[in-house]
Amino acid sequence: MSGSKRKDVTTPGLQKGIIKKQKIAPNMTNSDLQKGIIKKQKVPHITPSDLETAEDSDPIVESDTTEHSGDDDGVSWPSVEDADSGFSGDEGSDEGVPLPGNTSKKNSKTEAPATESTGNHSSSKESHAKQKALAQERKAGKPNADSIARTKKLWERLRIKSSVPKEERKQLVGELFGIITGNVKDFVLKHDSVRAIQTAIKYANLDQRRNIARELKGEYRNLAESRYAKFLLGKLLVHGDKQIRDLIVPEFYGHVRRLIKHPEASWILDDIYRGVATPSQKSILLREWYGAEFAIFKTQGDDPVSGELKSILEEHPEKRKPIMHALHDLINLLVQKKTTGFTMLHDAMLQYFLNLPAGTEEMTNFIELLKGDEEGDLLKNLAFTKSGARVVCLALAYGNAKDRKQILKVYKGTIEAMANDVNGHQVILAAYDVIDDTVLTSKSIFPELVGKSSDLDENQKQSFLDAVNNLNARIPMLYLFTGESRMLLRAEDIEILNEVHSIRNTTSKKDPATRRKELLAHVSPILLSLIANHAEALVQSSFGCQFITEVILSAVGDREAALEQIIALTKMDSPEIKQALNEPSAGRMMKTLVQGGRYNPKTKSVELVEPALSFHSSLFASLEAQDQVLEWATGGNSFVIVALLEADGFEQKKSLMEILQNGRKALEEAAASKASKKGATEESEELTKATKTPKESETAKTGGKAAAPKDPEKGKIEGSAENAAVQKVSKKGQAGKTGEKTLSGNRGAQLLLEKLDAA
């Protein structure tokens, strides 16, 4: 053994206590190294095969390497005592290595002489000091080193949002701009100094931001490709104005096909396209997807350009093949790279899809491309953009049964998020209308949309109520009950559904009415149970009242439990429930249920549902038992009592008329009372605004400004007597000063008096 150089330790060697080259343990400290002391460490990598090949039966003894740190190969060093005792660091020598069990002085932990330890420590300090000085010298030798150091100091202070006074911040920003003005290009490509520029833009005034933008002119593509400087570009666009935008966006013309494939620039390019570019700029950027010629021969001047591929192909039909080929290749490249979240990509995919002939191999291949993403990221990303949602809706419409099943399967676990999205819910509506397998649709969508059971815990209950009152999430829940009602759907939703319906005539076999009825049969029981269990919470919001009304009128199955729970609300003493029932939204709900169907403004009649609800009899019995009929007749729900008198099949009209005749004096007082913002006339005021109710979603999006309906029949209040009352109110409201509303009292009470007189 002593005559050979060996790198490894053999098993016999271990058993004899002979230790060869041993690496320093990772947890050793500098002081241990300086003293030459190595802590006790087990020898690694002993396998059973090593034990089986041992030369003798001596047990393996743990090696004590306290004093013997191995050879001095630059990784470990011998201790001081090893050197004094003639320890050799030669790998091939076994001398000086103690055997296991040796109790000589070499096995005891000893301290290195203080003088040598101090010398090693000083040497280490000096080495670190030299390295630090060298690093500082290198930094100081770089261009603008002092300026960058100062900007970083200013940035450290400026980025503290809460504790910097306004005056001090203004002073710091002024100093910062004094340093960077004229040198912005030297700062923006460094990961540390570019942060200071971003902060300067954040707190600068508009002129200072424009100066920075002008100084960076010609460098914006490079900034977009930089890992850190792209954020500076984003800051300029967010905090800038039209002038800054028009400086930045044109620099990307002619480079879209290259930048959209760049790992850094692609994201900032898509942000520009989606967030700040004008329609004309977006068209120029999108046209470059159609081939290199659209990048090379850029549009000059202010000539209007169109990004619509259809118009380009109509003008140049001979270019269809190269354009479609170039567009498909770029789309396919991004899909294969898994970069499928770009809005620009979704717009390009829509342009490609819209120009594919139906039933061709090209369309089949494109649908396969959509389904080909194993993780489903492409279809999920598409569902949450305007163009992407339309692409998925068209794929569902044009696809066969297998395609639709595979597409719907991708959205498992995503249905709730899609329902809450302004674009994603359109995919759910399209699935309702084109998939013939209603069992598949029900199992895939309804459990995530409305739950599997009506027994909800607090979190589930809150989620359900949030969905009912959400402008988007309520649409997939109510669409099957209301159909294409403008009260529920936006113009964009109706446009896409009309497009889908025109396609499904040739791709779907099942009758639309049959499909809808089957889906209602699956979803109605759970929604009726939710109404029965949570009517108290639902009635306290306008959308909740509408939800109750639409579900009960169109549901398939037993509605008794839900109706009984609504009747039970009238018996509750809770102040919250009493106040909720006195709201116009609850009054409209009660009136519609009393009438037993929806009012059709075209025929000016109520379309009764089958089987009949018979809600009017139950409600009257409850009110009569509590002696509340006259209270409702003179209060905010007076039109509900009017509806009772007009309802078909209501057999207690005579009893109701007797109660009203006995309370005629109270009715006359209510009818003659002056209008107030709150009180008996609130229902009447709300009824005059009924045209706004179908557009609650639009009103919320436009800050309370709802467009007047084009159709004069839209927005009329249900019930012929009520319509007449509204017209009278409208005429009387023209009297007096301009802009004032002159209401003469409770209109419902006035109608009831007229009916009493007529009787």
Side-chain angles (χ1 to χ4, degrees):
M1 289 179 61
S2 62
S4 63
K5 294 276 186 179
R6 299 194 313 168
K7 294 289 184 183
D8 301 324
V9 180
T10 63
T11 302
L14 290 171
Q15 292 178 340
K16 293 178 182 178
I18 300 173
I19 302 174
K20 287 298 179 182
K21 184 175 181 180
Q22 175 72 35
K23 297 290 183 183
I24 299 174
N27 58 356
M28 290 183 62
T29 63
N30 290 334
S31 58
D32 293 333
L33 295 174
Q34 291 166 0
K35 295 177 182 179
I37 300 173
I38 302 177
K39 299 297 181 183
K40 188 172 184 180
Q41 173 133 355
K42 293 184 179 181
V43 178
H45 308 306
I46 300 176
T47 63
S49 59
D50 293 328
L51 299 177
E52 293 174 0
T53 58
E55 293 181 1
D56 53 44
S57 60
D58 292 343
I60 296 178
V61 181
E62 183 180 351
S63 173
D64 187 355
T65 59
T66 302
E67 296 180 338
H68 310 288
S69 59
D71 54 78
D72 60 351
D73 57 356
V75 179
S76 56
W77 297 266
S79 65
V80 176
E81 286 194 11
D82 289 335
D84 293 340
S85 60
F87 177 81
S88 173
D90 186 4
E91 292 184 4
S93 173
D94 292 336
E95 295 180 4
V97 180
L99 295 175
N102 192 337
T103 58
S104 65
K105 186 178 180 180
K106 291 181 181 180
N107 284 339
S108 62
K109 293 182 179 180
T110 60
E111 295 291 335
T115 56
E116 190 164 345
S117 174
T118 304
N120 290 339
H121 185 64
S122 300
S123 176
S124 177
K125 270 190 171 182
E126 292 174 0
S127 176
H128 284 299
K130 289 180 180 179
Q131 291 176 358
K132 191 172 182 180
L134 183 60
Q136 293 292 341
E137 185 179 346
R138 287 174 179 169
K139 285 184 180 180
K142 293 182 179 180
N144 301 312
D146 295 338
S147 299
I148 292 175
R150 179 56 184 163
T151 57
K152 289 165 67 175
K153 292 291 185 182
L154 294 172
W155 171 68
E156 286 290 342
R157 180 63 177 157
L158 277 171
R159 70 192 184 113
I160 303 175
K161 297 181 180 179
S162 58
S163 60
V164 181
K166 185 177 180 179
E167 291 300 322
E168 182 184 355
R169 189 185 299 280
K170 185 176 180 181
Q171 181 180 355
L172 293 173
V173 170
E175 183 180 353
L176 183 57
F177 268 92
I179 296 173
I180 65 176
T181 300
N183 301 304
V184 175
K185 292 182 181 179
D186 298 329
F187 286 77
V188 293
L189 295 178
K190 297 180 174 62
H191 74 91
D192 48 359
S193 58
V194 72
R195 299 173 189 267
I197 307 296
Q198 293 179 45
T199 303
I201 292 172
K202 180 178 180 180
Y203 294 112
N205 57 44
L206 186 57
D207 289 336
Q208 290 171 326
R209 290 170 185 154
R210 288 174 176 173
N211 289 336
I212 291 180
R214 283 191 290 267
E215 195 169 335
L216 290 173
K217 187 177 180 180
E219 298 292 332
Y220 289 115
R221 289 200 311 275
N222 295 332
L223 298 183
E225 295 176 10
S226 170
R227 183 178 180 184
Y228 301 102
K230 66 179 181 181
F231 298 110
L232 170 66
L233 185 53
K235 281 280 186 183
L236 271 175
L237 291 168
V238 169
H239 296 284
D241 61 351
K242 295 180 180 180
Q243 184 177 334
I244 294 176
R245 178 198 65 198
D246 293 338
L247 276 174
I248 295 174
V249 175
E251 292 200 15
F252 292 89
Y253 294 168
H255 304 276
V256 172
R257 293 182 66 87
R258 179 178 65 84
L259 294 179
I260 198 63
K261 296 179 280 188
H262 193 279
E264 305 294 343
S266 56
W267 294 102
I268 195 67
L269 175 62
D270 192 65
D271 286 342
I272 291 172
Y273 177 83
R274 183 184 70 252
V276 299
T278 64
S280 176
Q281 291 170 338
K282 291 176 70 172
S283 296
I284 295 173
L285 294 172
L286 184 60
R287 284 166 65 94
E288 295 189 26
W289 286 66
Y290 305 154
E293 69 171 281
F294 294 93
I296 297 172
F297 303 104
K298 298 186 286 291
T299 302
Q300 301 295 331
D302 298 328
D303 296 335
V305 294
S306 173
E308 294 292 329
L309 181 57
K310 182 179 180 180
S311 62
I312 296 175
L313 295 180
E314 287 176 353
E315 186 177 355
H316 303 285
E318 72 282 359
K319 296 182 179 180
R320 184 184 187 281
K321 186 174 181 180
I323 289 176
M324 297 294 284
H325 181 72
L327 183 54
H328 180 273
D329 284 351
L330 187 52
I331 291 172
N332 184 58
L333 176 64
L334 294 180
V335 171
Q336 299 306 320
K337 289 179 65 176
K338 308 294 183 183
T339 52
T340 57
F342 300 136
T343 302
M344 188 183 288
L345 170 64
H346 301 172
D347 286 354
M349 293 179 74
L350 177 61
Q351 293 301 320
Y352 183 80
F353 202 172
L354 291 176
N355 289 277
L356 292 175
T360 61
E361 185 178 356
E362 286 180 300
M363 178 167 286
T364 302
N365 292 338
F366 187 75
I367 294 176
E368 289 298 324
L369 176 66
L370 296 178
K371 302 186 303 178
D373 186 4
E374 296 179 358
E375 292 81 11
D377 291 340
L378 174 58
L379 284 170
K380 290 177 182 177
N381 286 328
L382 285 170
F384 293 94
T385 64
K386 183 177 180 180
S387 296
R390 189 178 174 192
V391 167
V392 180
C393 290
L394 292 175
L396 286 169
Y398 281 114
N400 55 37
K402 184 178 179 181
D403 295 332
R404 293 165 179 169
K405 181 178 180 180
Q406 291 176 337
I407 291 173
L408 194 58
K409 185 178 179 181
V410 169
Y411 292 115
K412 182 179 181 180
T414 319
I415 296 296
E416 184 177 359
M418 292 167 59
N420 283 276
D421 186 73
V422 67
N423 300 305
H425 74 271
Q426 295 172 350
V427 177
I428 300 177
L429 303 186
Y432 287 157
D433 285 347
V434 300
I435 298 178
D436 293 334
D437 188 350
T438 54
V439 175
L440 171 66
T441 306
S442 302
K443 290 182 178 180
S444 301
I445 296 177
F446 294 150
E448 294 186 43
L449 190 63
V450 298
K452 299 179 180 179
S453 171
S454 60
D455 298 328
L456 308 179
D457 58 30
E458 284 301 318
N459 291 334
Q460 291 172 331
K461 177 183 176 181
Q462 190 59 47
S463 297
F464 167 67
L465 294 176
D466 290 344
V468 168
N469 291 284
N470 184 281
L471 293 171
N472 299 314
R474 62 195 290 267
I475 297 177
M477 287 197 292
L478 291 178
Y479 173 68
L480 294 171
F481 297 90
T482 65
E484 295 182 38
S485 171
R486 293 185 180 273
M487 172 196 64
L488 180 69
L489 301 177
R490 299 175 299 128
E492 295 85 350
D493 298 335
I494 295 176
E495 184 179 351
I496 287 182
L497 289 174
N498 289 338
E499 186 177 16
V500 169
H501 293 167
S502 64
I503 298 170
R504 76 175 177 185
N505 293 332
T506 58
T507 59
S508 296
K509 299 178 181 179
K510 187 170 290 188
D511 179 66
T514 303
R515 183 190 297 107
R516 176 175 175 267
K517 188 174 181 179
E518 290 177 358
L519 290 172
L520 281 175
H522 283 96
V523 75
S524 292
I526 182 67
L527 290 184
L528 289 172
S529 297
L530 287 170
I531 291 173
N533 293 344
H534 306 288
E536 185 176 347
L538 288 170
V539 79
Q540 297 185 46
S541 69
S542 175
F543 283 159
C545 291
Q546 186 183 13
F547 178 84
I548 292 173
T549 304
E550 299 300 338
V551 171
I552 290 180
L553 289 180
S554 302
V556 176
D558 186 9
R559 296 171 282 199
E560 288 302 320
L563 291 172
E564 288 175 2
Q565 189 58 39
I566 295 171
I567 296 295
L569 295 176
T570 64
K571 304 175 183 179
M572 293 185 179
D573 295 329
S574 169
E576 292 81 5
I577 298 300
K578 286 184 176 295
Q579 181 181 355
L581 290 177
N582 202 44
E583 292 292 326
S585 56
R588 287 191 293 270
M589 175 190 73
M590 290 289 190
K591 177 179 60 61
T592 304
L593 295 178
V594 165
Q595 290 175 334
R598 297 182 181 87
Y599 177 76
N600 189 331
K602 295 182 179 179
T603 61
K604 297 184 179 180
S605 62
V606 175
E607 298 177 347
L608 300 178
V609 299
E610 293 292 340
L613 297 180
S614 299
F615 181 77
H616 40 59
S617 300
S618 302
L619 177 63
F620 177 72
S622 174
L623 295 178
E624 186 180 26
Q626 302 173 74
D627 197 20
Q628 292 184 352
V629 175
L630 199 58
E631 179 184 342
W632 279 50
T634 57
N637 291 323
S638 57
F639 282 109
V640 177
I641 306 302
V642 174
L644 280 173
L645 291 175
E646 296 179 345
D648 293 338
F650 180 56
E651 299 177 354
Q652 289 84 20
K653 288 183 182 180
K654 186 176 180 180
S655 299
L656 176 57
M657 291 292 285
E658 290 177 358
I659 296 174
L660 295 175
Q661 188 66 44
N662 294 334
R664 185 182 183 94
K665 185 176 180 180
L667 286 173
E668 291 174 349
E669 291 177 356
S673 63
K674 292 183 179 181
S676 61
K677 291 184 179 179
K678 292 184 179 180
T681 59
E682 184 174 293
E683 172 76 4
S684 185
E685 288 187 40
E686 288 291 332
L687 291 173
T688 60
K689 302 175 184 178
T691 52
K692 295 182 181 180
T693 302
K695 291 293 182 181
E696 285 187 84
S697 59
E698 297 296 332
T699 302
K701 294 179 68 176
T702 57
K705 297 180 180 179
K710 296 180 181 179
D711 189 348
E713 293 293 332
K714 292 174 185 174
K716 283 189 178 179
I717 309 306
E718 300 171 5
S720 57
E722 217 167 308
N723 290 335
V726 172
Q727 291 172 5
K728 290 180 181 179
V729 170
S730 178
K731 290 178 180 178
K732 291 186 178 181
Q734 297 174 4
K737 296 181 180 180
T738 304
E740 289 186 357
K741 292 183 179 179
T742 307
L743 297 176
S744 58
N746 189 319
R747 299 305 303 166
Q750 293 175 3
L751 287 172
L752 291 173
L753 287 173
E754 291 177 7
K755 290 184 178 294
L756 288 176
D757 293 339

